[in-house]
């Protein structure tokens, strides 16, 4: 029996329903994939609530997973039955079994387990484009990472540290501060108790940081801009506190000729060449030990509503994996 978590309307975690569905046979350029592990991400929440509209209902949520190919359709060159694969940024992962285009898949190296892959594909490739493309971190830079104890935050901080970048992590509790420090942060700031921008100025001797990587959005916009050095870069890549709206672009001039980017992972893996390059860099970083993937919690797929509640309430740390 193939089970899937679907929604028939936008709303809270209660709209997530477990249903029986048929995966079907793969069409041309597709495979049928049996999932072994599924990643949970904030984009799932944005889609569940309608912040990121999905189109006609019902919809199966979930944007990343790992598993084994069970059947290959016509023109599925490069992939075979039994291959261990993973993907990110393809809607429909909250299920036991599905069909998916081979254009979305990458083969997993022997040294990376399925749960690790499901925990790191979306968040790890996000960390990769943030550090390699959005603002290429260089040895000697100092950066600020919002939500540094989260899934992307722990990967980004480790990777930046490996590149010789000094990392300041912004977190919500002493426990999360310790976790961030264990994952590459040289300094941590408790945003509930401290003035973030003032602490950044203290740490940097008044200079500010070269870049802020901010997945929080509306609530941290001012603190992020005020933490930057002149000509610094704010990379706003998430909306955990709500979307930024009515932004006055003139603030960038007033605060020091700043730059701002609102990127998406989909743009940075939009072709087979870019996907392979991004995933390959991630696999190399993990297999070398430079980046360690921490799975903070797992849930049965049937309990995904509770997983969403915990993610909404900022109760999760590191990556979250759903087990079919």
């Amino acid at each position: 029996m193939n089970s899937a978590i679907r929604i028939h309307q936008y709303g809270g975690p209660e709209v997530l329903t477990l249903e029986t569905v048929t995966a079907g046979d793969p069409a041309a350029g597709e495979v049928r994939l049996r999932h072994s592990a599924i990643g949970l991400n904030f984009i799932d929440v944005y889609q569940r609530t309608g912040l990121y509209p999905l189109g006609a209902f019902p919809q199966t949520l979930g944007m990343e997973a790992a598993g084994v190919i069970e059947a290959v359709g016509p023109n599925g060159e490069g992939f075979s039955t039994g291959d261990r694969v993973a993907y990110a940024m393809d809607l429909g992962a909250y299920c036991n079994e599905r069909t998916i285009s081979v254009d979305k898949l990458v083969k997993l190296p022997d040294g990376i387990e399925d749960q690790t892959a499901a925990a790191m594909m979306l968040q790890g490739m996000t960390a990769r484009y943030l550090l390699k493309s959005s603002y290429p971190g260089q040895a000697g830079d100092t950066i600020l990472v919002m939500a540094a104890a989260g899934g992307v935050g722990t990967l980004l901080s480790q990777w930046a540290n490996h590149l010789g970048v000094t990392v300041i992590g912004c977190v919500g509790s002493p426990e999360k501060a310790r976790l961030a420090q264990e994952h590459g942060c040289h300094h941590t700031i408790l945003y509930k108790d401290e003035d973030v921008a003032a602490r950044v100025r203290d740490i940097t001797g008044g200079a500010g940081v070269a870049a802020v990587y901010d997945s929080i959005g509306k609530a941290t916009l001012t603190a992020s801009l005020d933490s930057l050095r002149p000509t610094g870069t704010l990379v706003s890549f998430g909306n955990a506190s709500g979307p930024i709206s009515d932004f006055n672009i003139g603030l960038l001039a007033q605060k020091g000729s700043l730059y701002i980017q609102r990127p998406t992972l989909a743009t940075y893996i939009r072709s087979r060449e870019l996907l392979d390059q991004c995933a390959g860099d991630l696999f190399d970083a993990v297999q070398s030990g430079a980046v360690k993937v921490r799975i903070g919690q797992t849930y049965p797929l049937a309990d995904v509503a509770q997983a969403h509640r915990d993610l909404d309430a900022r109760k999760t740390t590191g990556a979250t994996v759903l087990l079919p």
Side-chain angles (χ1 to χ4, degrees):
M1 182 180 73
N2 182 32
S3 297
I5 302 292
R6 302 204 293 180
I7 62 171
H8 294 261
Q9 64 185 50
Y10 298 123
E14 70 279 357
V15 303
L16 297 161
T17 59
L18 180 66
E19 301 176 10
T20 299
V21 299
T22 301
D25 295 323
E30 291 184 339
V31 302
R32 187 172 69 247
L33 177 64
R34 176 163 290 279
H35 289 149
S36 53
I38 301 160
L40 176 72
N41 297 280
F42 260 109
I43 192 173
D44 305 353
V45 175
Y46 304 156
Q47 291 170 338
R48 188 201 75 220
T49 61
L51 179 62
Y52 292 176
L54 295 174
F57 295 113
Q59 291 282 352
T60 301
L61 297 185
M63 296 292 283
E64 71 173 337
V68 177
I69 293 175
E70 292 196 324
V72 180
N75 304 319
E77 287 84 0
F79 294 90
S80 303
T81 300
D83 283 348
R84 295 175 58 246
V85 296
Y87 65 90
M89 297 306 293
D90 196 80
L91 187 66
Y94 285 6
C95 61
N96 298 94
E97 192 174 285
R98 69 173 297 185
T99 56
I100 186 171
S101 169
V102 297
D103 291 340
K104 301 292 185 179
L105 299 176
V106 292
K107 293 182 182 179
L108 289 176
D110 291 339
I112 295 181
E113 298 179 352
D114 288 16
Q115 286 193 32
T116 302
M120 77 179 192
M121 289 302 296
L122 194 153
Q123 295 174 349
M125 290 197 296
T126 296
R128 188 269 182 196
Y129 85 70
L130 290 172
L131 274 174
K132 301 276 187 174
S133 299
S134 290
Y135 176 82
Q138 303 178 40
D141 280 343
T142 301
I143 63 170
L144 175 64
V145 178
M146 293 292 185
V152 174
T154 54
L155 300 176
L156 175 62
S157 298
Q158 290 178 80
W159 209 329
N161 193 331
H162 177 68
L163 295 174
V165 175
T166 298
V167 184
I168 305 170
C170 194
V171 296
S173 69
E175 294 75 20
K176 290 190 174 184
R178 286 191 288 272
L179 179 62
Q181 290 161 8
E182 291 169 1
H183 289 80
C185 287
H186 300 86
H187 310 273
T188 51
I189 299 172
L190 299 175
Y191 72 86
K192 294 179 182 178
D193 303 322
E194 302 178 274
D195 182 318
V196 174
R199 283 282 291 121
V200 166
R201 298 292 170 182
D202 289 343
I203 293 167
T204 61
V209 295
V212 178
Y213 302 94
D214 188 344
S215 61
I216 305 302
K218 183 178 181 179
T220 51
L221 174 62
T222 299
S224 291
L225 292 174
D226 288 346
S227 296
L228 289 167
R229 72 186 184 192
T231 72
T233 299
L234 168 58
V235 186
S236 178
F237 67 99
N239 309 288
S241 67
I244 296 168
S245 59
D246 299 323
F247 178 70
N248 175 12
I249 196 170
L251 286 174
L252 301 179
Q254 296 171 24
K255 293 180 180 291
S257 301
L258 306 178
Y259 294 86
I260 189 167
Q261 186 195 30
R262 181 58 176 89
T264 67
L265 175 58
T267 304
Y268 287 97
I269 57 171
R270 65 188 182 275
S271 68
R272 167 54 63 181
E273 179 182 6
L274 290 172
L275 173 59
D276 286 344
Q277 184 180 54
C278 194
D281 284 351
L282 174 61
F283 294 155
D284 289 346
V286 171
Q287 289 187 296
S288 73
V291 174
K292 294 178 173 61
V293 180
R294 180 182 181 275
I295 299 174
Q297 49 280 311
T298 63
Y299 300 79
L301 178 60
D303 292 342
V304 67
Q306 186 58 50
H308 273 237
R309 292 185 189 98
D310 291 345
L311 186 64
D312 274 339
R314 313 278 178 88
K315 292 181 178 179
T316 62
T317 58
T320 302
V321 173
L322 307 172
L323 301 177

